[in-house]
Amino acid sequence: MKARKLLMIPGPIEFEPEVLKAMSTPTTSHVAPDFTESFGHALDMMRDVWLDPSGQPFIIAGSGTLAMDMAASNLVEQGDAVLVISTGYFGERYAELLKRYTNQVDILKAEQGGIVPEDQIESQLKKKNYKLLTFTHVDTSTAVMNDPRPIAELGKKYNVLTILDGVCSVAGEEIRQEEWGIDVAFTASQKAIGVPPGLALMVASTKAIDAWKSRKTPVSNYYADWGNWLPIMQAYANRKPAYFGTPAVNLVQALEASLQIILKEGMEKRFKRHQKTGKAFRSAMKAAGLEMIPVEEKVAANTLSAPFYPKGIVGKDFLKKISDEGIILAGGLLANIKSNYFRVGHMGAVNRNDLLATVGAIETTLRNAGHQINPGICLKAAQEILDK
Ligand code: PMP
């Protein structure tokens, strides 16, 4: 019997064997011709995945929080007004982070499970001359998804730079960075982009780069300064080696492998596959009578789900039993309701069998804990959507 468990948390996720193989090749020099080619190729492919043909991609060693920090530190100067639109834990983190760079941080918080209504964002934008706004495409603490389009539209209307935290969405949820006019969209390697943790990835618009160029003060974060990294990215894009900080060589090769797999599937197909997977999982949970944090289907993410435990189920025991069934799930993250819900990642390489195995394990564990549901009801609900 296989001992390996299925990792169904919202990142790190299950990775494709080709990606892991690329990780395990002998580490080459960061200025070797084959590595220069891989780095340049990965940069080219990022534009296709972000659907931003004229954007400037960055591949930097670090986690998603570094990507948040990089966007903030390069675009914000002391005294600039910035607006954070928060749908959970990661929105609040962004507000805290931005306070390191300016004393003018405003935050609009959504009600739990919902989004901040567009008219509320617009009336806030009318109040001040904001330099930049941030929003979380999918907040991993709530599984709530914002539609980036109306927010990007407001950004254009009020001439505010728009920063999309896509750590839990890029390469899973639909994003058309150039068409929608988003200035910076970033992610981390361990999520839907399908590479083990350790890379911060972002694409910046010409407008964002121009805003950085017209700063009056130096970027106070040395490692994150685009001034250090832009020449490196431009050199690798031209298949020339360059050095500022040693790149994570094996991770970059794994990124090249993963981006190739993603583009082979095709972005349109990939968006639809995630939509179907998300819908199938939510339908399975609904069949079991479980409520979800997102208050309506319209704001529910497709890369992960966040169901509440039904009455009588103790989270810690439930997650342990599921793990005994061979599936690893994540607990809650929002401080005030942390022990009331769990989180299931279903992004990237996740396939039909992974999803059904997960739904089956949840169903069995709920039944064994005394939750009254008919055997097979959740699996049937998921299958009906997957088979469509
Ligand atoms: N933003 C979001 C939406 C995330 O889900 C995460 C990680 N779960 C982060 C930012 C931070 O990324 P990291 O943990 O890689 O620093």
Side-chain angles (χ1 to χ4, degrees):
M1 202 170 83
K2 273 198 297 182
R4 198 175 163 276
K5 297 192 185 207
L6 191 60
L7 188 59
M8 294 293 288
I9 65 171
I13 61 166
E14 290 277 321
F15 302 118
E16 297 277 7
E18 293 99 299
V19 172
L20 296 175
K21 204 169 123 204
M23 280 291 289
S24 64
T25 51
T27 305
T28 181
S29 160
H30 58 288
V31 292
D34 59 340
F35 178 70
T36 307
E37 175 55 37
S38 289
F39 204 127
H41 189 204
L43 287 167
D44 292 346
M45 286 188 290
M46 277 175 69
R47 290 202 180 93
D48 297 334
V49 169
W50 269 248
L51 294 170
D52 192 351
S54 63
Q56 173 59 55
F58 291 87
I59 302 173
I60 315 282
S63 80
T65 308
L66 172 69
M68 298 171 83
D69 212 6
M70 188 174 246
S73 61
N74 282 282
L75 295 174
V76 178
E77 291 181 77
Q78 192 50 257
D80 285 342
V82 301
L83 179 64
V84 174
I85 299 158
S86 174
T87 37
Y89 182 95
F90 290 101
E92 298 199 13
R93 171 175 292 189
Y94 222 154
E96 283 313 304
L97 189 158
L98 282 157
K99 285 179 195 161
R100 301 286 174 106
Y101 300 109
T102 177
N103 55 5
Q104 297 277 323
V105 180
D106 292 329
I107 181 165
L108 286 176
K109 289 189 195 180
E111 299 278 335
Q112 182 181 297
I115 56 169
V116 179
E118 213 178 304
D119 55 350
Q120 203 180 323
I121 300 174
E122 177 149 23
S123 68
Q124 188 65 36
L125 290 175
K126 280 181 184 159
K127 286 184 194 157
K128 269 191 200 171
N129 201 1
Y130 286 104
K131 164 107 179 259
L132 156 164
L133 70 79
T134 74
F135 65 105
T136 318
H137 193 180
V138 169
D139 199 296
T140 320
S141 68
T142 54
V144 167
M145 177 161 71
N146 268 303
D147 179 354
R149 275 163 285 201
I151 301 178
E153 279 302 319
L154 286 174
K156 278 188 258 175
K157 184 167 170 192
Y158 291 90
N159 196 24
V160 179
L161 293 166
T162 48
I163 313 300
L164 175 144
D165 174 346
V167 174
C168 206
S169 67
V170 169
E173 305 286 4
E174 182 182 3
I175 302 178
R176 301 174 195 279
Q177 183 173 354
E178 184 157 294
E179 186 188 325
W180 294 352
I182 294 159
D183 292 299
V184 176
F186 58 77
T187 189
S189 51
Q190 74 273 19
K191 305 266 185 182
I193 209 100
V195 178
L199 291 178
L201 305 166
M202 68 166 59
V203 177
S205 70
T206 309
K207 199 168 143 206
I209 299 287
D210 287 347
W212 162 74
K213 282 185 185 156
S214 47
R215 287 177 66 99
K216 293 184 185 68
T217 57
V219 174
S220 59
N221 184 323
Y222 182 71
Y223 183 68
D225 189 344
W226 281 346
N228 291 325
W229 290 110
L230 191 58
I232 310 303
M233 299 304 135
Q234 288 166 338
Y236 277 115
N238 292 320
R239 308 306 194 257
K240 293 200 176 76
Y243 169 75
F244 167 63
T246 310
V249 171
N250 291 59
L251 282 169
V252 173
Q253 286 169 326
L255 176 67
E256 184 192 22
S258 196
L259 292 170
Q260 279 174 303
I261 294 169
I262 291 168
L263 290 172
K264 193 167 169 216
E265 179 178 14
M267 297 318 294
E268 305 305 326
K269 252 178 135 175
R270 196 167 171 93
F271 298 149
K272 288 213 172 74
R273 175 167 66 79
H274 279 80
Q275 284 157 11
K276 196 175 208 181
T277 306
K279 197 170 169 203
F281 187 81
R282 293 192 296 277
S283 174
M285 295 303 99
K286 201 169 158 204
L290 269 55
E291 302 279 336
M292 313 285 261
I293 294 191
V295 290
E296 52 178 336
E297 191 59 21
K298 225 173 70 193
V299 300
N302 299 300
T303 47
L304 90 153
S305 296
F308 285 105
Y309 297 116
K311 272 205 181 70
I313 303 279
V314 178
K316 212 161 62 78
D317 300 344
F318 175 82
L319 294 177
K320 163 82 176 61
K321 294 236 166 69
I322 300 255
S323 168
D324 294 343
E325 293 278 333
I327 316 274
I328 302 171
L329 303 182
L333 187 59
L334 266 192
N336 59 330
I337 52 165
K338 202 173 160 66
S339 55
N340 300 354
Y341 75 105
F342 63 106
R343 294 173 303 143
V344 180
H346 32 71
M347 65 187 112
V350 65
N351 64 23
R352 177 191 169 88
N353 293 350
D354 299 335
L355 195 81
L356 291 177
T358 306
V359 166
I362 293 173
E363 185 184 297
T364 305
T365 309
L366 286 173
R367 279 170 44 78
N368 289 344
H371 187 60
Q372 302 281 326
I373 43 172
N374 291 330
I377 192 167
C378 300
L379 283 166
K380 182 168 177 272
Q383 268 168 315
E384 269 170 8
I385 302 222
L386 292 173
D387 290 346
K388 258 183 207 158

